[in-house]
Amino acid sequence: MRRGARAAAALLATATALAALVACTPKEAPAPNRTPVTEGVAADLVGYYGQDVDWDRCVGGGEGTFYCGTVTAPVDWSDPEGGDLELAVIARMASGESQGSLLVNPGGPGASGVDLVQGSAEFAVGETLLEHYDVVGFDPRGVGSSTPVRCLDAEQMDDYLFALPRAARGTPAWEAELTARNDRFAEACESGSGGILPHITTADAARDMDLLRGVLGDEKLTYLGYSYGSFLGATYAELFPDRVGRIVLDGGLDPSVPGSEVGARQAVGFESALGAYLTSCVERTENCPFQGSVDDARTALADALAAVEATPLTATDGRALGADAMVMGIVSALYSEGNWPYLTGAITAALEGDADPMFVLVDSYYNRSDGVYLDNSTEAFSAYNCMDYPADPPDVEAAADALVAAEAPTFAPYWSGVDLCASWPYPPTGTRGEIHAEGAAPILLVGTTNDPATPYEWSAALAEQLSSGILLTRVGEGHLGFNKGNACIDDAVEAYFVDGTVPDGDITCE
């Protein structure tokens, strides 16, 4: 987000940023052990689809039986002879009779599906689906334990993300300084990633997902995608409509929206979420750091951002909390209503000169702990977005900036920056346009009305575009809608996955 790439297709921040790595023990009975499906696969790809996976029993959080393995995929799907990469996979076997594999993706781009299933399967899909499906998490190409995008070490990443520019914001010297910083980052990604950067795209990842479907022995894809994972799932449906089984896309992205507008709409979404938080704070929170009306609170927060922009606070670890970092901390907390008490504490501390609590929120976004980055999600996020989103014409960028200024005034002074993707070593190959997936089986979309990261109108638009899209609306706050305590949404999704029950039409769940 902001300054990272042309689009800000949001990371699933604090709730699903998991630190654990898969620890494998000696191999037991191989599982899942269904026969790979190679029907309809091109001759030069049969070897990939028919490969045997060396499944090992591995450790996972909570109850359940876990197996981990790696699947080999071509780096370049258009030239399978050009080299291979590895995809890390984990399967949590069904606690009851399995109906097959349910692939899950937690978003990002750049979040680890292996970590999600290993450490938080109950949170991700719930007990009902864990009973009926082998829940399969995978790290998309470039991510985590798969063949990764590698750019900077921890010290260099801190410098890239948190070092304060010497020049004043918005000046030519400021732009030159940030451009040079972006150049160094992009060069490091190119030198450290083993030639995979041109092929870190959502289209390539969707083809990888079809490979996993075949290797796992499923005729059709059953899939649950969150946030960016909705774009991955919709891309899959466009490429392979005849292989769509049961697909749920939670927190949709509108694939027709230009990259600049994606970031702008997210700014507006977070401003709306900020308004909901400030309303709750001033009306119901005894220790709210703001007094008066919501407008008064918004003005006070804007003043606090301007103050740390002028005179940054120094955290215990030496990092400087300027406006950019403070905005990131606020945004990180606004993903979920459950984070609001932590945001209150962090803002209160910052107003008293203590930067540490705000950096806890910042670090949760970047999955950073004690100076260590626990994954490569920030690097993979940049790689995907720079390849997926073409540069926008100046008038589109200007319209996006105007939208942020008009509808996200608290964040507007700090939202725009120098585009990393202008420094990327490869031109983007992705395009922006509607996705229809003609001929696909019914696909459910879940949208939350005040979702700050994937605004509700995106889910509604994607449901309208898809030839078989059905929209489930969760009226409420926060990012995503399934497994968020709304029985109406949860029952509809579970009935669809377990019994194949397709709603008669769109549903609104209060």
Side-chain angles (χ1 to χ4, degrees):
M1 178 172 58
R2 300 162 47 255
R3 210 192 281 171
R6 295 190 177 102
L11 288 168
L12 282 178
T14 55
T16 57
L18 304 173
L21 297 176
V22 174
C24 290
T25 58
K27 183 179 177 183
E28 298 183 6
N33 57 2
R34 295 183 294 275
T35 303
V37 175
T38 60
E39 183 180 356
V41 175
D44 60 348
L45 298 176
V46 168
Y48 289 101
Y49 277 75
Q51 66 186 282
D52 293 324
V53 179
D54 188 16
W55 293 103
D56 285 330
R57 183 73 178 270
C58 56
V59 177
E63 299 179 357
T65 302
F66 295 81
Y67 287 87
C68 57
T70 58
V71 172
T72 301
V75 171
D76 183 351
W77 277 99
S78 67
D79 180 19
E81 301 297 324
D84 295 337
L85 52 72
E86 301 299 323
L87 303 173
V89 184
I90 186 170
R92 187 191 193 278
M93 307 309 291
S95 60
E97 183 176 353
S98 177
Q99 296 179 217
S101 306
L102 169 61
L103 271 68
V104 296
N105 179 275
S112 167
V114 170
D115 286 355
L116 181 72
V117 170
Q118 185 219 3
S120 194
E122 290 82 1
F123 171 83
V125 302
E127 294 293 344
T128 298
L129 299 187
L130 290 174
E131 177 184 353
H132 290 274
Y133 283 96
D134 303 327
V135 177
V136 178
F138 63 99
D139 287 356
R141 57 174 57 212
V143 174
S145 298
S146 294
T147 302
V149 173
R150 297 189 185 277
C151 304
L152 303 176
D153 63 26
E155 183 178 354
Q156 292 167 333
M157 184 63 79
D158 277 354
D159 184 67
Y160 176 68
L161 294 175
F162 304 120
L164 298 176
R166 293 181 296 274
R169 184 183 297 272
T171 63
W174 176 80
E175 292 183 0
E177 187 175 345
L178 294 187
T179 297
R181 186 182 299 185
N182 287 341
D183 288 346
R184 291 192 295 272
F185 180 86
E187 289 166 3
C189 294
E190 169 69 351
S191 63
S193 300
I196 66 173
L197 290 188
H199 307 289
I200 302 301
T201 73
T202 297
D204 284 304
R207 291 183 172 90
D208 293 341
M209 201 154 63
D210 192 61
L211 169 64
L212 295 176
R213 174 203 59 79
V215 168
L216 291 165
D218 297 301
E219 297 283 347
K220 305 280 188 177
L221 178 71
T222 303
Y223 174 75
L224 173 59
Y226 292 111
S227 197
Y228 159 80
S230 69
F231 180 47
L232 177 60
T235 301
Y236 178 92
E238 183 80 340
L239 291 172
F240 306 103
D242 58 326
R243 299 176 189 175
V244 169
R246 298 171 188 175
I247 289 181
V248 173
L249 308 178
D250 188 356
L253 273 73
D254 183 347
S256 69
V257 172
S260 298
E261 186 179 335
V262 169
R265 289 293 175 188
Q266 285 194 313
V268 174
F270 283 113
E271 187 81 27
S272 177
L274 176 66
Y277 159 73
L278 291 174
T279 299
S280 175
C281 186
V282 299
E283 293 181 357
R284 296 193 291 274
T285 305
E286 291 184 3
N287 61 343
C288 182
F290 305 113
Q291 304 296 321
S293 68
V294 172
D295 287 342
D296 292 336
R298 200 185 299 268
T299 298
L301 181 58
D303 290 344
L305 288 168
V308 297
E309 170 80 354
T311 307
L313 304 176
T314 302
T316 303
D317 64 5
R319 285 182 293 170
L321 183 75
D324 287 330
M326 188 164 172
V327 165
M328 183 56 69
I330 294 168
V331 162
S332 177
L334 291 175
Y335 273 84
S336 171
E337 189 173 354
N339 293 332
W340 288 1
Y342 302 103
L343 180 56
T344 295
I347 292 174
T348 300
L351 291 173
E352 295 172 351
D354 181 2
D356 287 356
M358 189 62 71
F359 267 119
V360 171
L361 295 176
V362 173
D363 288 349
S364 72
Y365 184 90
Y366 290 117
N367 209 8
R368 179 187 183 277
S369 178
D370 294 329
V372 176
Y373 291 84
L374 303 174
D375 58 31
N376 74 328
S377 57
T378 299
E379 293 151 311
F381 176 88
S382 300
Y384 271 97
N385 282 342
C386 287
M387 293 304 299
D388 277 350
Y389 286 86
D392 292 326
D395 62 325
V396 174
E397 292 186 349
D401 289 342
L403 176 64
V404 175
E407 299 189 30
T410 309
F411 299 126
Y414 318 105
W415 197 259
S416 298
V418 177
D419 185 10
L420 166 64
C421 296
S423 300
W424 208 245
Y426 300 96
T429 55
T431 59
R432 304 301 290 164
E434 294 186 355
I435 290 179
H436 302 291
E438 296 289 346
I443 297 172
L444 302 192
L445 282 296
V446 181
T448 296
T449 53
N450 203 27
D451 186 326
T454 50
Y456 173 74
E457 59 264 30
W458 291 353
S459 290
L462 182 55
E464 181 69 23
Q465 292 169 29
L466 289 166
S467 64
S468 58
I470 297 172
L471 179 63
L472 310 182
T473 298
R474 170 180 167 257
V475 178
E477 297 289 334
H479 189 34
L480 307 177
F482 177 55
N483 251 5
K484 297 295 184 182
N486 187 305
C488 171
I489 293 289
D490 295 350
D491 290 349
V493 170
E494 289 169 356
Y496 169 75
F497 274 130
V498 175
D499 301 319
T501 302
V502 179
D504 293 333
D506 295 348
I507 295 175
T508 297
C509 297
E510 300 288 343

